[in-house]
Amino acid sequence: MAAHRSGPLKQQNKAHKGGRHRGRGSAQRDGKGRLALKSLSKKVRKELSRVDQRHRASQLRKQKKEAVLAEKRQLGSKDGPPHQVLVLPLHDRISLPEAFRLLQDRDSGTVHLNEWGSTHSFMLLCPGLKHRWFFTSARPGDLHTVLDLAKVADSILFLLDPLEGWDSTGDYCLSCLFAQGLPTYTLAVQGISGLPPKKQVDARKKLSKVVEKRFPDDKLLLLDTQQEAGMLLRQLANRKQRHLAFRDRRAYLFAHDADFVPNEENNLVGTLKISGYVRGQTLNVNSLLHIIGHGDFQMKQIDAPMDPFPLNPRVIKSQKDSGTAMEICATDAVTDMEEDLKVLMKADPDRQESLQTEVIPDPMEGEQTWPTEEELSEANDFLKESSKVVKKVPKGTSSYQAEWILDEDGESDGEDDEYDDIEHEDFMEEESQDESSEEEEEEECETMTIGESVRDDLYDEKVDEEAEEKMLEKYKQERLEEMFPDEVDTPRDVAARVRFQKYRGLKSFRTSPWDPKENLPQDYARIFQFQNFTNTRKRIFKEIKEKDVEGAEVGWYVTLHVSEVPVSVVEYFKRGAPLAAFSLLPHEQKMSVLNMVVSRHPGNTEPVKAKEELIFHCGFRRFRASPLFSQHTAGMHSLVATGHLLSVDPDRMVIKRVVLSGHPFKIFTKMAVVRYMFFSREDVLWFKPVELRTKWGRRGHIKEPLGTHGHMKCSFDGKLKSQDTVLMNLYKRVFPKWTYDPYVPEPVPWVKSEISTVPEMDMK
């Protein structure tokens, strides 16, 4: 009979703690001086029994399930907004018209076509499914349109190729959408029925492996027949909605129609009437409205016209066969809408949000008096007296030799003390010999003409030589920056004390003090600063949940009267571009400094440059700015980096570092003559207080200049190596330029980047 062996799930009890037990006397000694607890600092949590805990958990699950079902029933119903779907083909072999033909189910609903510009859309009403959809489309190459439509879409329908899934343009488009934030999405394959039956199974397996990289847990649906299109519609209607924070806290609207009424004084500015369905939150007429790509505006009033796409229209049923009752009509076929128009709300000037975006600075605020000449001369005399050092030196030592003798805390060898004026002259002669040899080498060089190979003239005509030279220069600068980070050459035609006059030396970059209010540029007087941005954001978000806002409810079809809008906005809409508007929270129109943390996109390897004008997509905003530490590429759109907002804080300092380098000319025990860091005696005296360091970890300081060519005598905490390099770190604070521009209607290169810029605040 085999013995019983315990399995891996055997209960393991805690071992008994042996040892001496504490007596009453030791317990009293340990607790001597302690006070008894008078009141509880935290609320006493009521302990629930196991049955009550299960009951409470089931109630919470039931509430969450009911909330999800209520959201599904609301979206696309007769009382809610239409279910807006963005159809996005990810491969150039995808046929978008064929997909639209299958989705326009003539047997189950009514289709309202709408074509504006290059973007096609249609409204699908299905009374049998008790659902209505609004389908829009965009090509992956039109990045601005894709991102703007994704900001307001409830779902995205990705159309995949059966062999490759997506091409390079589609993959790039997916990267941008993932960076911005994806709403609910569905994957559909078009054209798999066109393959031979034996290859269809293999194609689906290979496609599933490709899709797993981007969408690991999603199923692939087919879109080749009318029956598959019906299953796809049901899948879209029953999917759980993914939430985006910047949409859930604000009211937003996608324009189905727009009209412009110019002002009497100026025809270029007028009132824009935007019609569409309210989404997200209740829309109040007194709040500000941000039109994507055009800026912030105020509203005059909100009208409530008749819904042009009712799910159950009030019509007399026809006696004909209901199976052929489907009809296709245009959007402008709705008549007598003006008769049913009613004014919902008008703006109250006393409660309306202001359009003020910046502070009007007071030039007399913070005025300071400049010190007089007597005070400046007294300060200079004090510095001279304090700089004198008394040393004990051997009898007969000259003042020059005394400078080379270390202080009492240092030691010196006898061979170092023999350094005198003769050796100093030898230094000068050796330096002059080096300079003369360099000149001779330059004279020996001569220019030679090398024959070139035969060029392809047709190829050269397509090459932009100017752009090639600029890109080559960028690559050189990037390579130098990688090899020698922050190191710069000291100019010879400009004094270093003038070139680096805005920089300062720091004993320790981590612990040295730096006042964030010191030497601010004039533009910083125009920006707003919160005492505590995090608390203000929490308070506003709490008010959104608790307060009942008066205005247009979610799902209502309304017309917004937006005042002082340029005529270019409606022209932009008539050319076929989508028009979307978001309501702003309090203070979101005001200017401040945004600090963002980003990571570079792996697909971008080109060198980038700072302080160039770029375009940013941040939440629902799209704006131009010239950031610090930014990335930029020219030509086709290129995603450089993605990230998140770190803080809204003008006091957060961006410090730029430059490193001046010099080379040891003569080395003694702890002393050395350094050259090529400066080229004038005055520059050495100017930067004398700044600490030196070497690449091999030595630290030191400048003792005095030697001669007039920038040589200097330096003292270090140890002996230098001949291959070591002497460095000096200089720092200055840099500020972003005031180049914020919310008007970005035209498709231009788009990137997200690491920035410290001055756009309007976003409480996302």
Side-chain angles (χ1 to χ4, degrees):
M1 182 175 176
H4 171 72
R5 293 184 180 180
S6 59
L9 300 179
K10 180 185 176 183
Q11 179 177 346
Q12 298 290 337
N13 296 326
K14 187 185 295 185
H16 174 69
K17 293 183 179 178
R20 184 180 175 185
H21 294 281
R22 296 178 62 191
R24 192 182 353 174
S26 62
Q28 288 178 355
R29 285 193 298 270
D30 292 342
K32 194 173 183 180
R34 294 183 181 178
L35 298 177
L37 186 64
K38 294 182 179 179
S39 61
L40 292 175
S41 58
K42 294 184 179 180
K43 272 189 175 181
V44 179
R45 296 183 62 182
K46 187 177 180 182
E47 293 293 336
L48 299 176
S49 64
R50 184 165 295 181
V51 176
D52 293 337
Q53 289 178 2
R54 290 175 180 174
H55 181 63
R56 184 181 179 184
S58 65
Q59 284 182 329
L60 292 175
R61 285 196 301 267
K62 186 177 180 181
Q63 290 175 2
K64 291 181 180 179
K65 189 179 294 184
E66 289 177 353
V68 171
L69 290 175
E71 186 179 14
K72 287 182 182 178
R73 296 189 186 108
Q74 175 75 7
L75 184 62
S77 64
K78 62 177 182 178
D79 298 325
H83 191 152
Q84 185 164 341
V85 182
L86 170 61
V87 182
L88 192 61
L90 296 180
H91 202 283
D92 57 0
R93 289 199 292 260
I94 299 295
S95 175
L96 190 61
E98 178 64 19
F100 269 27
R101 185 189 66 80
L102 294 173
L103 291 172
Q104 294 171 3
D105 190 0
R106 304 191 177 194
D107 297 331
S108 60
T110 307
V111 177
H112 298 269
L113 296 178
N114 182 21
E115 294 188 8
W116 26 289
S118 58
T119 305
H120 302 279
S121 63
F122 67 92
M123 186 76 70
L124 177 62
L125 308 177
C126 296
L129 296 176
K130 297 181 180 180
H131 210 85
R132 54 179 177 173
W133 288 272
F134 178 60
F135 287 91
T136 59
S137 64
R139 283 288 173 185
D142 190 0
L143 192 60
H144 275 312
T145 303
V146 171
L147 294 176
D148 287 349
L149 288 174
K151 288 179 173 70
V152 295
D154 299 309
S155 301
I156 299 181
L157 176 59
F158 293 114
L159 300 181
L160 308 180
D161 181 71
L163 299 178
E164 299 179 6
W166 50 74
D167 54 12
S168 59
T169 307
D171 183 71
Y172 172 71
C173 183
L174 286 175
S175 299
C176 297
L177 288 172
F178 273 100
Q180 178 176 269
L182 268 182
T184 306
Y185 59 88
T186 302
L187 306 177
V189 184
Q190 185 191 66
I192 201 168
S193 61
L195 299 175
K198 294 182 179 179
K199 294 185 178 180
Q200 290 184 9
V201 178
D202 294 338
R204 295 188 67 171
K205 288 182 179 179
K206 291 180 181 178
L207 186 60
S208 298
K209 290 183 179 180
V210 173
V211 170
E212 278 182 359
K213 298 177 182 178
R214 290 278 190 180
F215 310 97
D217 300 323
D218 293 282
K219 295 182 179 179
L220 296 175
L221 301 177
L222 301 180
L223 186 59
D224 289 326
T225 63
Q226 202 77 46
Q227 184 180 1
E228 292 170 349
M231 293 177 61
L232 182 60
L233 290 176
R234 290 183 179 87
Q235 179 73 13
L236 287 170
N238 295 326
R239 297 255 355 215
K240 181 182 177 181
Q241 292 297 307
R242 300 178 66 180
H243 294 273
L244 299 178
F246 71 89
R247 296 198 314 196
D248 293 342
R249 298 189 178 107
R250 298 168 182 85
Y252 62 98
L253 177 143
F254 181 80
H256 289 265
D257 192 15
D259 191 17
F260 183 78
V261 180
N263 293 342
E264 296 180 357
E265 301 85 5
N266 187 3
N267 293 332
L268 300 178
V269 179
T271 301
L272 179 66
K273 297 180 181 180
I274 307 175
S275 299
Y277 294 91
V278 179
R279 301 170 184 269
Q281 294 287 335
T282 302
L283 179 60
N284 190 287
V285 72
N286 294 318
S287 62
L288 296 180
L289 197 71
H290 178 83
I291 301 177
I292 297 177
H294 300 281
D296 305 333
F297 304 94
Q298 288 180 329
M299 290 181 283
K300 288 182 179 179
Q301 70 181 43
I302 300 178
D303 298 339
M306 185 181 69
D307 190 344
F309 309 108
L311 186 60
N312 298 311
R314 293 173 293 178
V315 295
I316 301 174
K317 292 185 179 180
S318 175
Q319 299 297 327
K320 295 182 179 180
D321 184 14
S322 59
T324 58
M326 160 68 191
E327 63 175 292
I328 298 179
C329 60
T331 305
D332 57 359
V334 180
T335 58
D336 299 332
M337 188 176 293
E338 296 293 333
E339 298 178 3
D340 298 334
L341 183 66
K342 64 178 181 180
V343 178
L344 190 64
M345 288 184 70
K346 285 193 175 182
D348 185 1
D350 298 331
R351 300 173 57 189
Q352 195 171 28
E353 287 282 344
S354 172
L355 278 173
Q356 182 183 3
T357 59
E358 57 188 70
V359 180
I360 301 175
D362 183 6
M364 301 302 294
E365 185 178 0
E367 184 183 8
Q368 297 180 353
T369 56
W370 191 258
T372 61
E373 293 182 2
E374 296 178 359
E375 293 174 341
L376 291 174
S377 61
E378 289 177 3
N380 290 331
D381 295 339
F382 177 75
L383 289 175
K384 289 179 181 178
E385 291 294 330
S386 61
S387 62
K388 292 181 179 179
V389 180
V390 179
K391 293 182 179 180
K392 291 182 180 180
V393 297
K395 194 173 182 179
T397 304
S398 64
S399 60
Y400 180 79
Q401 291 174 335
E403 292 294 333
W404 284 93
I405 298 177
L406 298 178
D407 298 335
E408 293 180 358
D409 56 347
E411 295 181 1
S412 176
D413 295 335
E415 58 180 6
D416 297 339
D417 296 337
E418 296 177 359
Y419 183 86
D420 54 7
D421 294 339
I422 299 174
E423 282 188 320
H424 177 67
E425 291 175 1
D426 294 339
F427 278 0
M428 298 300 126
E429 291 176 3
E430 188 173 344
E431 180 192 359
S432 62
Q433 290 176 4
D434 293 342
E435 292 177 355
S436 61
S437 62
E438 290 176 1
E439 292 177 359
E440 290 175 1
E441 289 178 1
E442 291 179 358
E443 290 176 359
E444 290 176 0
C445 298
E446 58 183 20
T447 306
M448 298 179 65
T449 304
I450 302 174
E452 297 180 356
S453 59
V454 180
R455 299 181 179 180
D456 189 348
D457 295 335
L458 296 176
Y459 179 80
D460 288 344
E461 288 177 359
K462 300 178 182 179
V463 176
D464 189 350
E465 295 183 2
E466 210 172 301
E468 288 286 321
E469 289 293 329
K470 289 182 180 179
M471 188 58 64
L472 179 62
E473 188 64 28
K474 283 186 177 181
Y475 275 111
K476 287 182 179 179
Q477 292 177 3
E478 186 183 40
R479 187 172 181 183
L480 287 174
E481 180 66 23
E482 290 178 357
M483 295 173 63
F484 310 101
D486 298 332
E487 291 190 31
V488 296
D489 294 329
T490 306
R492 308 205 50 175
D493 54 344
V494 181
R497 61 186 181 278
V498 177
R499 168 63 178 84
F500 304 109
Q501 60 185 345
K502 294 183 180 180
Y503 291 83
R504 66 179 69 178
L506 297 177
K507 181 73 174 176
S508 171
F509 181 77
R510 186 176 60 86
T511 60
S512 297
W514 197 317
D515 186 7
K517 305 295 184 185
E518 176 187 357
N519 295 332
L520 295 178
Q522 189 66 28
D523 286 339
Y524 264 55
R526 299 161 53 194
I527 64 176
F528 287 88
Q529 181 178 4
F530 285 95
Q531 190 171 7
N532 193 321
F533 177 78
T534 305
N535 290 347
T536 304
R537 181 173 60 175
K538 289 181 179 178
R539 177 179 57 81
I540 292 176
F541 290 167
K542 188 177 180 181
E543 291 176 357
I544 293 173
K545 293 181 179 180
E546 296 177 353
K547 281 189 177 181
D548 294 332
V549 181
E550 297 181 357
E553 297 290 339
V554 177
W556 291 4
Y557 186 83
V558 297
T559 299
L560 309 181
H561 294 248
V562 190
S563 58
E564 302 300 322
V565 179
V567 68
S568 58
V569 178
V570 71
E571 293 175 352
Y572 176 73
F573 175 75
K574 289 180 179 178
R575 287 201 303 267
L579 195 65
F582 280 77
S583 65
L584 296 182
L585 301 178
H587 311 300
E588 277 195 314
Q589 79 279 12
K590 296 175 181 176
M591 304 289 289
S592 189
V593 178
L594 301 187
N595 303 292
M596 296 186 178
V597 177
V598 302
S599 58
R600 186 160 183 173
H601 189 263
N604 183 273
T605 57
E606 295 183 2
V608 293
K609 202 172 181 180
K611 296 183 181 179
E612 291 188 9
E613 188 179 84
L614 306 177
I615 293 179
F616 299 91
H617 283 256
C618 182
F620 59 89
R621 291 185 184 273
R622 183 173 78 238
F623 58 89
R624 284 193 181 99
S626 298
L628 298 175
F629 308 126
S630 62
Q631 279 88 22
H632 177 71
T633 54
M636 186 181 175
H637 301 212
S638 178
L639 179 63
V640 173
T642 60
H644 64 276
L645 178 66
L646 176 66
S647 63
V648 182
D649 185 11
D651 286 345
R652 189 175 189 273
M653 295 184 292
V654 179
I655 307 299
K656 180 181 180 180
R657 182 184 72 168
V658 296
V659 180
L660 306 183
S661 60
H663 300 275
F665 182 42
K666 286 288 184 180
I667 300 174
F668 300 93
T669 305
K670 293 187 179 180
M671 305 286 287
V673 177
V674 180
R675 61 177 178 176
Y676 299 150
M677 183 176 287
F678 304 108
F679 299 98
S680 68
R681 182 184 183 88
E682 292 78 10
D683 290 341
V684 177
L685 293 172
W686 179 268
F687 290 99
K688 186 178 179 182
V690 183
E691 186 183 29
L692 301 175
R693 68 178 181 89
T694 70
K695 289 188 176 181
W696 286 38
R698 296 297 181 191
R699 291 187 175 273
H701 59 277
I702 301 173
K703 299 290 290 185
E704 67 168 356
L706 297 176
T708 60
H709 295 285
H711 290 212
M712 55 188 181
K713 182 168 59 175
C714 303
S715 173
F716 295 91
D717 59 356
K719 188 173 181 179
L720 298 185
K721 302 291 184 180
S722 59
Q723 64 269 31
D724 205 348
T725 305
V726 182
L727 306 174
M728 176 183 288
N729 292 340
L730 299 176
Y731 305 91
K732 77 168 182 177
R733 185 179 179 184
V734 290
F735 302 92
K737 293 183 179 180
W738 192 289
T739 55
Y740 173 77
D741 183 12
Y743 183 71
V744 194
E746 297 299 329
V748 292
W750 173 85
V751 291
K752 289 183 69 176
S753 62
E754 178 180 354
I755 67 168
S756 176
T757 184
V758 192
E760 297 177 2
M761 291 175 292
D762 185 1
M763 295 190 179
K764 180 179 65 174

